[in-house]
Amino acid sequence: MPHPDDLKQRIQELEEKVRILQMENNQLAERAEDTLLLGLIAEQISRAEEIRQVLESGLERISILKDIPFCACCSLAGDKALIVNAYLSFTDEDMSNPAIVLPEAIMTKLAAGHHLLSRDECRLAGISIELKTGNFVPLSAICIPFRSRFTEANIFFFADNKAEDRLPRLADMLHRVTEMMASRVDNISLFQELQSLNRELDSKIENRTRKLQESENRFRQFFENEPAYCYMISPDGLILNVNKAALNVLGYRKEELVGKPLQTIYAPESLPKMKEDFEEWKATGKLTDVEMVILSKSGDRRTVLLSSDVVKDAEGKTIHSVSVQQDITERKLAEEALRESEQRFRSFFERTNAVMLLIDPATGAIVDANPSSARFYGYSRQELCAMTIQDINILSPQEIATARQQALALRCNYFIFPHRLADGRERTVEVHSTPVEVGGRPLLFSIINDITERKKAEQDLKKNEEFLNNIVENIPNSLFVKDAETLKYVRFNKAGEQLTGYSREELLGKNSHDFFPKEIADYFTAKDREVLAKKELVDIPEETIRTKGGVERVLHTRKLPILDDTGKPQYLVGISEDITERKKVEESVRKLTQAVEQSPASIVITDASGTIEFVNAKFTQITGYTYAEAVGQNPRILKSGETTAEEYLRLWKTISSGGVWKGEFHNRKKNGELFWEQATIAPLKNANHIITHYVAVKEDITERKKIEEQLRQAQKMEAIGTLAGGIAHDLNNILTAIMGYGHIALMKTAKDDPKRLSIENMLEAVDRAAHLTKDLLLFSRKQISERKPVDLNDIIRRVDKFLKRVIGEDVDCRAVLSNEALTILGDVHQLDQVLMNLATNARDAMATGGVFMVATERVCFDEEFISVHGCGKPGNYALITISDTGRGMEADTRAHIFEPFFTTKEVGKGTGLGLAVVYGIIKQHEGFINVYSEPGRGTTFKIYLPLIVAQVGETASAEEEHPPGGTETILLAEDDETVRNMTRTVLEQSGYTVITAIDGQDAVNIYGENKDRIHLLLFDLIMPRKTGKEAYDEIRAVTPGVKVLFISGYAPDMVRQKLLLEDKVLVVSKPMKPTELLKKVRETLCA
Amino acid sequence: MAYYREGKGEPVLLVHGITTYSFIWRNIIPLLSKDYDVIAVDLLGCGDSDKRLDVSYAIKDHAERLHEFITKLELGKFHFVGHDLGGGMGQIFAVRHPEMLYDLTMINTVAYDFWPVQPIIALRTPIVRQFLMASLDLGTFRLIVKRGIYHKDRVTNELMDLFMRPMLTSEGRKAFMYFAKCLDNHNLMEIEDDLRRLKIRVLIIRGDGDPYLGATISEKLHREIPGSRLVRIPTGGHFIQEDEPERIAQEVIGFFRGQHAASG
């Protein structure tokens, strides 16, 4: 067992060994790492391209990687180390003082090559680095000098303040790092210097090369582009180079000439001279302006002026010569040509017919004159050559000078002067002067043209132009000229300006579109183009323009093209006449003509002698004469003889003395028909108040005349009616008395009394007379429809007698009535009138006799019948057929017969109302009437009236022998004494008390006195002072409800209508039968 | 101090570690900000924050600065989520100011003395040192980042630029160096006992593909912190935020809400 101490020692030895090993290990590891770090730093440094970068990155890396707080690169200056670059790991501030103060001792040490500062040394030296945040006092430091030619730095300074004294250990590595940096800095610097030198050199070389190149280029360019022929020739006379110009003229390619002897290009005749010159050239090295002839490949000869010079090298040895040939061939030729030209000119000068002078401009002396001039001026050549131009020119020198200046100002190369000939005549001449040099003497070569005639022609032309201009300007029509191409106005006259309102300054150079609305301008342009295309005149009868003032004018325009020599339109000339006013007149004339033509009055215009010049449509329509037939005739053609000769005379007197005649003509149409005209005839006078025409305005008044006639007839009928009515009224009073007394007498006569027959006959005659008055009354009154059931056959039977009387004896009058009763709802009186009217017409149609027939029958209308006849309603009808065998009617007449005032009867024989009334009545009865007629075959009317089923009322009552009487008191008012007495007798005989009054007023008075006892008023309606009605009204005002019965000579319904009587009031008609009177009295009293 | 803030709700503080800055959360923030007021800070010396060298970058000082920052923002209670050194800061914060936290989440965190002991040779620390070396050469840098990410296809040039950005300036490099130098594991060793008494809820997320920090750290934390929850994600590297942002968000939100998402 080893001794513990041994063991311990052993362990200690081992531990020591381990420690040493560990230390060695650590050192090795550290070295390995240092190597790695050096590698990294070296790489970083090597990447840097500037010295500053080398120092910055090197110092930073070493500081970071070896944890050295202060690393700097400085330059030593005296006792200071000026910091060039530094890295301080412990602060982020910039150093305030970039210098480290080093004591002299250290500087000495450094100078001796020592560079590691021990801690003590550091402390003793009191090294301190100033920082803002406080001074950095290193515990140890190491200064490593380095030499670099290219930085001012020469020392690295590393300082540490760690407790461990590391720097000795790191010294080796720091040395290496600093070496690396120094070396890199040197490298960079060298490299940079080298680079800079290189660049300089490059730039110099480049410059020189460029200059050389430029010089070379310039020479080459000059040589190549020189228009003269250039050659480079070797000392032994061979061609080295030849330029483009020479090649061109010689016709060789460059390679054909290079290397060839110079003789190749010279013409044989120049060769001896060439040899001669070559010798001279050899001697002097120069040749100047030697004339030679060169020969092209194709044999062309050119004359050249040769100059030559040599190019020598530095040693004065000839390298080559440069020959330059100036081509003077053209010049030579020109000289030759000039000579020839001069000769030609001289010959021309001598022979020409043109007058030519050579003048000395300085003196005006005539230096030479050709034979023509001698002829023209009348002087011999010798004489002329002794004269000056002033001797010929009439103008003074001043005037000539002025003329020359004017010519110059106008850029005119000739002058116009008056020249005087030898015989004294003056001629206007045009002088063309050209400066020429003759034998070195400046002269004026003048050609003189006699323009006297031309001048005159020009003046004439000018006059002509002025003349035309005057016309154009002063014609009253608008005239314009347009350019055929552009249609722009090139000429415009005064009238045109006035018409359009535009001045010519405004118009010229413009076209239609610049002035007129588009549609108008388009139209104009189209017309213009048409004219230019057709190349002929176009007449535009009417076109409208709008003037500047906006007024529309109507123009009649002619446009014509002006063609140039080739027939191409050059201008368009337009001449417009303003026809606006004329158009207006035409328009008004047109209106007037139309008015006249369409006038509803007939218009005739005659000349002063009365020959018809115009008739209007109405005239031809009325008269039947056509326009052609009427014109040229005298209005006498219408004369019918109905107008008196005196009337015509008066007419002529009036109108021929300038008055207006108005009157009526009864004229005859072409077809012989007469017609009435109302005419106004007036004379027409011209400006001199002489009657040139007559105008007649005539109205056809035939219709009016006819209506007037009808009116007259109607009025006449009315008058007759009134007359007949009046007569009938008076007659009735008489008949009433006869009837009354007759009846009284009859009542007082025994039945077997032989006087009774006489009384009865008398009463029957009175009865007939009474019927006659009734018919008269019927004729004279207007009907009021009073329809009631009646048998149509009864009516016909009743009027039959009357009809026969109307028809007359010549006509066979027949009635064929149906067996059954034909009851209709009818107004007896109206139906009577229908039959009467138709009978009247029939009679008129059968002037020489015939058959008149009335037939009745019952007919039934079914739907089919109605649809065929186009009228009525289905059902039963009474048909009355009334026919005659008269002259019949045309269809045209038939169509109008029911119209009022239509008549075919002679004037005064018909009212034209008859059938109209018939038609109206039938319509009132809800029936209808048809007519069938043909000329010569008579006429048939068929009247249909609807049947009814009612019974016909009893119209005829049995006569009562003794009507009822009474005891009441009656006030009787009757103005006719006979009737009053007869009536009182009848009433008193039946028991009544009668008080009488002689008229209406009397009745009122008497009633006032006796009103308590009077039961009935019996008044005649028509009485003097007061009518029965007026008297009744007055009494009724006092005693309402007073009973009344009227007596009237008129029909009761007529009375009722006229006096507006109430329905309950009864009327008894005159002549009245006593029984009827008594019956009505009783009726009224009992009502 | 620079920070990024987004969303509304309970505040969530996201704290990065060394070698990164707030950008590392960019894929997670949108997922959290729907329901939370998310604040991602750049620690002093990192990202866009000041690069001062006159204050301490030790993690307890970082933790203290975070406290000041939170107080100044008047956040009140919040969720602490720390990655790498940020997890260490979370431990210190939880021990010192537990009343301010709803809970603590640590992702691939440092803890105890499992991380470099000698600040002076901080450069020997895995990743830190290598990062620094790498910052001198992009090729190497790329390799380092790539090692720390599980899904290698996510290492794009854009991502590299984000990592590199602070290192492009001398100032940034200096601050990084200073940060590394300030690291002191005593800061965490001091609180070892306190962690065992921690009352707040703790979530530990471990990416099993992290080549720089070993699994032991997370396992020990889980063991020693009562009631803590450990989630291991096999497809997560050291920069697990790049690998599994959705998963992290899902776990974190579940944890915030007291739910336990399926652990994997």
Side-chain angles (χ1 to χ4, degrees), chain A residues 212-266:
Chain A
L212 211 63
Q213 194 68 42
E214 279 169 6
S215 156
E216 174 90 14
N217 283 349
R218 272 200 303 276
F219 172 73
R220 196 171 295 282
Q221 216 161 3
F222 163 77
F223 183 84
E224 275 302 317
N225 297 329
E226 175 57 38
Y229 316 141
C230 300
Y231 310 85
M232 284 166 68
I233 297 151
S234 69
D236 47 354
L238 295 178
I239 296 169
L240 294 175
N241 198 357
V242 52
N243 79 345
K244 228 185 278 169
L247 290 173
N248 280 347
V249 80
L250 293 169
Y252 290 103
R253 279 176 307 173
K254 188 175 265 189
E255 52 273 30
E256 286 179 303
L257 283 181
V258 171
K260 296 278 161 44
L262 195 55
Q263 290 91 310
T264 319
I265 62 164
Y266 285 111

Side-chain angles (χ1 to χ4, degrees), chain A residues 33 36-37 40 44 47 60-61 64-65 67 87-92, chain B residues 51-53 120 123-124 129 132-133 135-137 170 173-174 177 181:
Chain A
E33 188 176 303
L36 181 69
L37 292 183
L40 276 172
Q44 195 67 31
R47 244 184 250 159
E60 184 189 6
R61 265 46 174 189
I64 290 172
L65 295 173
D67 195 22
Y87 183 85
L88 284 76
S89 68
F90 49 86
T91 178
D92 50 354
Chain B
K51 310 287 188 299
R52 290 175 62 176
L53 300 182
I120 213 86
L123 294 178
R124 289 184 188 280
R129 180 172 170 279
L132 188 75
M133 303 287 275
S135 74
L136 305 173
D137 170 42
S170 169
R173 291 193 289 270
K174 212 181 260 184
M177 273 312 301
K181 199 184 274 179

